[in-house]
Amino acid sequence: QWAPQFRGYNQQDAPEFLAFLLDGMHEDLNRIIHKPYIEVPDADGRPDSEVADEQWDVYKRRNDSVVVDLFQGQYRSTLVCPVCSHVSVTFDPFMYLTLPLPIQRQKWVEVLFVPMDTALHALRMRLLVRKDDTIKQLKKCVAYFAQRDAARLLACDIISTRMYSVYSDTDMLGEIRESDVVQMYEVGVDTAKAAADPLSEPCAVVQLLCSRPSTPSSYGYSYGPELITKPLMLTLPRDGLTLGELYLQIARALSRWSAVDMSRVISQLQGTGDSNDSDEQLLELLGRAACLSVHRAAPPSQGQYRNLSSISSYAYTGRRSYGPPSAFR
């Protein structure tokens, strides 16, 4: 009835309602019935305390209520004439002040740094950064603590066992959620140059995914291979890579994360071991190492080790390339 702007079920601002309520209470409780016209005197260089008391007395001659006594005050307002440079100082009454909420400009970002040297363990960091910083600045911070080259760091967003995206150097840290863990891989190429021209580097960064056939549904449908580890990054030369050297790189990459002792496999692939293991036995060990990784994947059934240790290339749709390891590019 008295404030039609607040009718209905639309969302209203609480400060607007509070201002309307206090104004209405002040008008109803105002002790001044007839308000005289009084000109507000200028400061004329007098002390602020004197001018403030004088202007408050003038205001109280027209507005005198319990709301004024409890809720109102004065703030200093200064105006400078751009022509004559005259300074006018007034003390205006206020009933409430609108202040901005403090903005949190910093956040914690969790990073898992994976060095290229497989003999070193991955390092988990929790860094306090500014929200307006970029991934490039986060790389410099990680490189400083890990004593690495920031140009050779690859920042990725890993969801479950799949790589969702690769962060660019211009991505803002404020867009990263608090629950996300930035996977920072050290690779053997300059990531900025490789992104601009993939053929400019003599090596290629390859994503290694370990999978096993998925369990068919009750209707007999199969939804493609099931990934059992997080993606591993390999830096491989573009030319002159043999199949044995490729298996050696895979074994070294799995040795960091697996509970299986990979020393026999690595020695055999290097040609320094005394074992006469066949290729089938080496592939079985690679598959077992992938299953017994720190990601707690369940062991596969008998006969699935060859599929586990094969090199698979996945697009974001989850499709698999069934070509032989030698055909991987």
Side-chain angles (χ1 to χ4, degrees):
Q1 179 181 358
W2 305 107
Q5 67 269 26
F6 295 112
R7 287 180 179 175
Y9 297 95
N10 295 329
Q11 183 177 355
Q12 306 290 343
D13 291 335
E16 293 182 2
F17 172 75
L18 182 60
F20 167 78
L21 178 63
L22 293 178
D23 286 338
M25 293 177 62
H26 166 66
E27 292 296 333
D28 291 343
L29 300 176
N30 195 356
R31 305 182 185 96
I32 307 300
I33 305 300
H34 302 287
K35 300 180 181 181
Y37 173 76
I38 304 175
E39 185 176 356
V40 178
D42 201 358
D44 291 333
R46 292 179 295 167
D48 289 345
S49 59
E50 180 182 345
V51 178
D53 292 340
E54 184 180 24
Q55 294 187 6
W56 182 251
D57 182 66
V58 171
Y59 178 76
K60 289 279 296 218
R61 294 181 187 179
R62 296 173 53 87
N63 302 273
D64 187 12
S65 68
V66 66
V67 176
V68 175
D69 299 336
L70 297 178
F71 293 100
Q72 293 192 6
Q74 290 176 299
Y75 60 83
R76 188 176 186 271
S77 176
T78 304
L79 296 177
V80 181
C81 179
V83 179
C84 63
S85 300
H86 175 71
V87 179
S88 176
V89 178
T90 58
F91 290 85
D92 301 321
F94 70 89
M95 188 176 298
Y96 61 92
L97 291 177
T98 302
L99 301 176
L101 293 175
I103 301 176
Q104 185 66 29
R105 300 185 181 277
Q106 293 180 323
K107 63 179 299 184
W108 290 98
V109 174
E110 194 165 352
V111 178
L112 181 63
F113 170 68
V114 182
M116 191 168 61
D117 187 359
T118 56
L120 302 176
H121 293 288
L123 179 62
R124 187 176 292 271
M125 306 179 185
R126 195 165 184 261
L127 305 175
L128 183 62
V129 298
R130 292 176 57 89
K131 291 184 177 181
D132 54 354
D133 287 344
T134 61
I135 289 292
K136 185 176 182 179
Q137 293 167 310
L138 180 64
K139 288 182 179 180
K140 292 181 179 179
C141 187
V142 173
Y144 172 79
F145 287 108
Q147 297 297 309
R148 293 296 190 273
D149 185 5
R152 295 179 178 269
L153 296 182
L154 184 68
C156 305
D157 183 13
I158 307 296
I159 298 181
S160 185
T161 57
R162 294 183 181 272
M163 181 180 294
Y164 180 74
S165 64
V166 176
Y167 293 109
S168 66
D169 288 346
T170 57
D171 288 340
M172 306 301 295
L173 298 182
E175 300 175 359
I176 301 176
R177 296 177 299 180
E178 295 289 342
S179 58
D180 290 346
V181 178
V182 180
Q183 200 98 350
M184 196 79 72
Y185 294 95
E186 183 188 13
V187 294
V189 299
D190 190 315
T191 55
K193 292 181 180 179
D197 184 7
L199 300 179
S200 62
E201 295 289 335
C203 297
V205 179
V206 178
Q207 181 184 179
L208 173 63
L209 301 175
C210 300
S211 66
R212 65 182 175 188
S214 61
T215 304
S217 63
S218 58
Y219 298 98
Y221 294 106
S222 180
Y223 298 97
E226 177 187 358
L227 299 180
I228 57 177
T229 64
K230 291 185 180 297
L232 306 176
M233 290 298 172
L234 302 179
T235 302
L236 303 176
R238 295 184 180 275
D239 300 319
L241 182 67
T242 64
L243 183 60
E245 292 172 346
L246 179 60
Y247 281 152
L248 178 60
Q249 295 290 342
I250 296 174
R252 286 174 174 172
L254 290 174
S255 64
R256 172 190 286 149
W257 307 101
S258 177
V260 176
D261 185 9
M262 302 291 294
S263 58
R264 184 164 63 93
V265 180
I266 295 175
S267 298
Q268 181 71 9
L269 292 173
Q270 288 176 335
T272 59
D274 298 330
S275 175
N276 295 321
D277 295 333
S278 63
D279 292 341
E280 291 291 336
Q281 291 173 324
L282 292 178
L283 290 175
E284 181 177 345
L285 284 174
L286 288 176
R288 189 179 299 276
C291 291
L292 298 180
S293 65
V294 295
H295 303 293
R296 306 295 183 185
S301 60
Q302 187 69 24
Q304 294 181 358
Y305 295 107
R306 174 176 288 276
N307 293 330
L308 284 169
S309 57
S310 63
I311 298 292
S312 303
S313 175
Y314 284 86
Y316 291 123
T317 56
R319 297 179 59 188
R320 180 177 180 180
S321 172
Y322 288 93
S326 58
F328 188 83
R329 296 292 184 266

